[in-house]
Amino acid sequence: MKAVTWHGKRDVRVDTVPDPTIEQPTDAIVRITSSGICGSDLHLYEVLTPFMSEGDVLGHEPMGIVEEVGSEVSSVSPGDRVVMPFQISCGHCFMCDQELYTQCETTQVREQGMGAALFGYTKLYGAVPGGQAEFLRVPLADGTTIKVPEGPPDERFVFLSDVLPTAWQAVEYAAVPDGGSVTILGLGPIGEMASRIALHRGHRVIGVDLVPDRLSGARERGAEVLDLIWRSTSSGAAARSR
C-alpha cells in the first residue's frame, strides 16, 4: 500500500509499505477514505525527530471502511463506515470508564511516562503506524472506532478523530458559567472549532488572532474578535507619538 512515511528532519515521503494484517483478535483493518493533517504533525517534522524512526507511518485523524475484523471484535463489521480517534483505548478500564480515554490504562506507554498510545505519533506514544495510508490496523477496535452513517461526505465526520473532541473538551474544561464569556487565543482549526462550540453553548466568545480570514470568519459566526496586528501596530504608533 501507499503511505506517508518519515525519513528524517523535514523529510516526509509517500512510500510503498506492507499492508497491515490482523495481529490480535481485537484488531480491525480499515481502508482509509480520508485522513487529516494536524498542526501537531509539524512537531514530527522537526521538534520530535529524536523520537521518530525512519519509515514511521504518520497520521492520527483517519476515517474509512472496515475491511476485516478479529475474532473478538463485536462493535463493528466489514463494510461499516468508521472514524478513528487519535488515541487507542480499550473502552473498559478505570480511566476509560471515567471517559478519560487518552489515559487508557491498557495502552498507556508507561516506559515513556505517557498516556494512551496514539496513531502515528512517535515512540513516546507507542510507535503505532498511522492513518495517512491506504489501510490502517486499528488495535482494540471496539474502543477505538466510532461508527458513522452512510450518506454525508467524509468532511462531515472526519473532525471526530481529533479537532472536534479536542475543542469540545477545551470548552468543557473552561467551565464557563451561564452568561459568561470565553477568550480563545488563536483561531486555527482547534480555536475555530472551540469558538463554534462555545457559541453553540450560548457563551460570549472573544476570538484573538492576527490572520484576517480567521478573524472575519469568526466574526461572521457571531464571535467578537481582537486583531493582534491592528493592536500591535496601533500601540506602536501611539508609543512613537508619545
Side-chain angles (χ1 to χ4, degrees):
M1 69 174 182
K2 298 291 187 182
V4 176
T5 59
W6 185 92
H7 287 272
K9 186 175 181 179
R10 298 192 178 188
D11 185 359
V12 172
R13 311 174 194 173
V14 176
D15 287 336
T16 299
V17 302
D19 289 359
T21 59
I22 297 289
E23 298 178 11
Q24 301 293 332
T26 51
D27 289 349
I29 303 297
V30 175
R31 174 173 53 84
I32 301 302
T33 56
S34 292
S35 189
I37 299 175
C38 183
S40 59
D41 286 330
L42 293 174
H43 302 322
L44 310 182
Y45 203 52
E46 285 201 342
V47 179
L48 292 178
T49 55
F51 305 102
M52 299 291 288
S53 298
E54 186 165 6
D56 282 353
V57 179
L58 308 183
H60 59 270
E61 299 187 357
M63 68 175 294
I65 306 298
V66 177
E67 293 284 304
E68 184 182 0
V69 297
S71 60
E72 295 181 13
V73 175
S74 59
S75 64
V76 294
S77 303
D80 286 342
R81 189 184 190 196
V82 293
V83 178
M84 278 64 68
F86 60 90
Q87 81 281 347
I88 299 165
S89 54
C90 69
H92 53 71
C93 68
F94 174 81
M95 298 304 280
C96 286
D97 285 344
Q98 312 310 306
E99 299 185 347
L100 298 172
Y101 303 107
T102 58
Q103 298 300 318
C104 173
E105 295 174 303
T106 303
T107 72
Q108 278 180 9
V109 188
R110 293 179 175 84
E111 62 271 22
Q112 299 288 353
M114 297 298 181
L118 310 181
F119 287 110
Y121 215 77
T122 79
K123 65 183 70 174
L124 292 175
Y125 294 96
V128 181
Q132 290 172 10
E134 293 183 287
F135 295 93
L136 175 69
R137 181 179 75 89
V138 181
L140 299 169
D142 282 339
T144 313
T145 54
I146 302 169
K147 194 185 301 186
V148 296
E150 296 295 335
D154 282 6
E155 300 91 274
R156 298 294 297 170
F157 299 114
V158 72
F159 295 112
L160 288 169
S161 61
D162 186 350
V163 177
L164 177 56
T166 299
W168 184 278
Q169 190 171 20
V171 176
E172 183 71 20
Y173 281 4
V176 184
D178 290 343
S181 61
V182 58
T183 298
I184 298 173
L185 303 177
L187 295 169
I190 300 295
E192 165 66 12
M193 191 69 77
S195 171
R196 293 183 183 215
I197 291 165
L199 288 167
H200 173 74
R201 297 174 74 162
H203 304 314
R204 176 192 177 201
V205 174
I206 303 168
V208 182
D209 209 299
L210 44 72
V211 178
D213 287 347
R214 292 179 177 180
L215 292 165
S216 61
R219 185 185 294 111
E220 289 170 4
R221 282 180 280 276
E224 301 171 46
V225 299
L226 181 62
D227 185 341
L228 286 180
I229 291 291
W230 181 86
R231 288 282 175 177
S232 61
T233 303
S234 299
S235 298
R240 287 193 296 273
S241 68
R242 289 197 294 269

